[in-house]
Amino acid sequence: GSIKTLSRLIEKHGVELIAIGNGTASRETDRLARELVGLYKDRRIDKVVVSEAGASVYSASEYASHELPEMDVTLRGAVSIARRLQDPLAELVKIEPKSIGVGQYQHDVAQARLARSLDATVEDCVNAVGVDVNTASVPLLTRVSGLTESIAGNIVQYRNRNGRFASRADLRSVPRFGEKTFEQAAGFLRITGGDNPLDASAVHPESYSLVESILDDLGADIGTVIGNRELLGKIEPGKYISDRFGLPTVVDILKELEKPGRDPRPEFVSAHFRDGVEEITDLESGMILEGVVTNVTAFGAFVDIGVHQDGLVHISALSEKFVTDPHQVVKSGQIVRVKVLDIDVKRRRIGLSMVLTKENEAYNGLQKESAGVIRQSKKRQMNRLDNTGNAMAAAFAKLNGKF
């Protein structure tokens, strides 16, 4: 049945990686994929569970219908999930940031200010990583500094008509891509496998003359210098300071030549959920599990441990040290190991701790302290009632004596 169909697709398309959405029946699908991967002893096939947040928003969007017009909405969602694994940033820019779930109070703040702040953050991320101009979509290009949606559309149309760009200089042939736009955007646009190796780096074309001076002094070509740490280590940055290029610029260029096109993002890792723990009823107190942080709030962090219900790590259980701000300890998407403290199946609540070396004294102390305060409060209330009752009884007795 399913295994046979999937095996046929793997053989037909040479599949090396399987992306599984973390929504409904994700653990069952993950188990099926594990069984499928186990059949291939002679080749490596990996499987990864990917966040589905916002996938339904994309699949029903106007851009998705334009990008994948022949596909059903559900299939568009599947394509989006797979692309997130290939290039998360390039895919997530197609979705409004607030549709991904960006915080506890995102619906309570001024939406216009939130949108501006999120857009600025996404733009910073895109420009820090850089964009391959020969593969980028319109939404991704739009986030590049200096590019508008119309210019981004012109780049894609020009690419579709004339083929891939061979150099950054070719961008000047794109309609409405003027000199000012080139000055602002060129450094963030990458061309891999082009005429000039520098076009694949973060070095701006305006600084190519500086690189040529460095090459002349070294007596080597660009292919020999790029990635050659030993050779670049012989260069004295101060020698190349001028009216056009300050010391920080020269240092940045040398770093880029040492590691051209370096990706500032860390190595991709994914959480490995424990086999046999697929529902909240499978959890037991004391279990040590691996999970991924889905949201960070003022009172702690929510962690997906693969049971279709995120657990809460209270701020007091994030670390053995005192924590004032959970954001200083964890961030969304971080892989963490947690200990199950308590499970409330009826209310679907899971208490977790990131303190694994010993019992979570801070958390337990907080619980005991809260319980103690409640007991003392109830005791004081009962004493007040007793005292009130005694006073009333004495008053009635006094009245009865008079009559």
Side-chain angles (χ1 to χ4, degrees):
S2 301
I3 293 287
K4 190 175 180 180
T5 302
L6 290 171
S7 296
R8 189 170 64 250
L9 290 172
I10 286 175
E11 295 295 339
K12 180 180 178 181
H13 300 287
V15 174
E16 297 177 352
L17 189 59
I18 301 172
I20 304 166
N22 69 342
T24 307
S26 65
R27 296 304 302 279
E28 293 80 359
T29 307
D30 184 51
R31 189 164 58 245
L32 177 70
R34 190 186 312 117
E35 184 181 340
L36 177 66
V37 169
L39 298 176
Y40 292 87
K41 306 294 184 184
D42 58 334
R43 59 192 288 189
R44 180 175 177 178
I45 301 175
D46 294 317
K47 59 178 181 59
V48 179
V49 176
V50 184
S51 171
E52 286 187 8
S56 58
V57 175
Y58 163 76
S59 60
S61 68
E62 182 181 349
Y63 183 78
S65 61
H66 173 73
E67 189 177 34
L68 305 167
E70 305 299 323
M71 284 192 177
D72 180 71
V73 172
T74 53
L75 291 178
R76 290 176 193 162
V79 170
S80 177
I81 291 168
R83 283 176 175 173
R84 289 178 187 201
L85 189 55
Q86 292 176 315
D87 192 339
L89 190 59
E91 192 61 24
L92 291 173
V93 293
K94 300 174 185 176
I95 307 166
E96 266 195 292
K98 61 184 179 182
S99 299
I100 304 170
V102 292
Q104 180 188 1
Y105 304 111
Q106 72 177 73
H107 299 295
D108 302 326
V109 298
Q111 295 302 298
R113 291 182 63 187
L114 175 65
R116 283 197 301 270
S117 178
L118 290 174
D119 285 342
T121 301
V122 172
E123 188 170 313
D124 287 345
C125 290
V126 171
N127 291 321
V129 174
V131 172
D132 187 339
V133 75
N134 284 315
T135 60
S137 63
V138 172
L140 183 58
L141 288 167
T142 303
R143 301 288 186 172
V144 173
S145 179
L147 298 186
T148 62
E149 188 175 354
S150 61
I151 295 176
N154 291 343
I155 291 173
V156 173
Q157 289 175 13
Y158 184 90
R159 186 179 71 202
N160 291 339
R161 286 197 308 267
N162 302 283
R164 53 182 285 116
F165 292 93
S167 69
R168 281 172 169 164
D170 292 345
L171 290 166
R172 290 189 168 97
S173 302
V174 174
R176 297 185 60 203
F177 201 103
E179 283 301 317
K180 198 66 180 176
T181 302
F182 185 84
E183 180 184 329
Q184 290 180 309
F188 306 115
L189 299 173
R190 312 277 196 268
I191 297 176
T192 55
D195 297 339
N196 189 341
L198 289 175
D199 286 344
S201 71
V203 179
H204 195 282
E206 290 181 343
S207 302
Y208 285 4
S209 59
L210 174 60
V211 176
E212 289 169 2
S213 298
I214 294 173
L215 295 177
D216 290 340
D217 290 347
L218 290 173
D221 58 27
I222 187 65
T224 306
V225 172
I226 283 184
N228 192 329
R229 182 178 296 182
E230 185 179 347
L231 193 59
L232 289 167
K234 298 177 181 178
I235 296 171
E236 177 54 51
K239 179 183 176 182
Y240 299 96
I241 296 175
S242 65
D243 293 339
R244 289 185 61 198
F245 307 110
L247 183 61
T249 302
V250 176
V251 171
D252 285 345
I253 289 172
L254 292 176
K255 285 182 180 178
E256 185 63 24
L257 291 174
E258 186 179 315
K259 294 181 180 179
R262 65 189 185 279
D263 193 329
R265 294 171 293 186
E267 184 181 353
F268 176 77
V269 292
S270 61
H272 297 284
F273 299 133
R274 182 189 284 192
D275 294 340
V277 180
E278 300 174 5
E279 300 293 338
I280 192 171
T281 50
D282 297 327
L283 294 173
E284 294 178 6
S285 182
M287 277 183 169
I288 305 295
L289 304 170
E290 190 169 88
V292 57
V293 177
T294 57
N295 199 2
V296 183
T297 68
F299 53 82
F302 288 93
V303 179
D304 179 8
I305 52 176
V307 295
H308 306 295
Q309 177 63 49
D310 292 353
L312 172 65
V313 181
H314 190 268
I315 186 172
S316 60
L318 283 171
S319 172
E320 292 181 357
K321 298 179 181 178
F322 181 73
V323 178
T324 55
D325 181 6
H327 292 87
Q328 296 174 348
V329 182
V330 290
K331 59 184 179 181
S332 293
Q334 182 178 336
I335 308 299
V336 294
R337 293 182 74 233
V338 293
K339 181 177 183 179
V340 179
L341 295 178
D342 50 68
I343 311 106
D344 187 337
V345 178
K346 188 175 180 180
R347 293 194 294 173
R348 297 191 65 79
R349 292 184 178 179
I350 306 166
L352 303 172
S353 170
M354 285 175 54
V355 181
L356 307 179
T357 54
K358 57 184 179 180
E359 290 297 322
N360 187 15
E361 296 171 354
Y363 182 88
N364 291 336
L366 180 69
Q367 298 294 89
K368 290 176 183 177
E369 184 181 341
S370 299
V373 168
I374 292 171
R375 283 197 297 271
Q376 289 176 13
S377 177
K378 286 184 177 178
K379 188 174 181 181
R380 284 196 295 270
Q381 289 176 2
M382 291 301 293
N383 287 337
R384 282 199 296 270
L385 287 173
D386 289 343
N387 292 336
T388 303
N390 292 337
M392 291 291 286
F396 275 116
K398 198 171 183 180
L399 287 170
N400 287 335
K402 287 183 178 179
F403 293 104

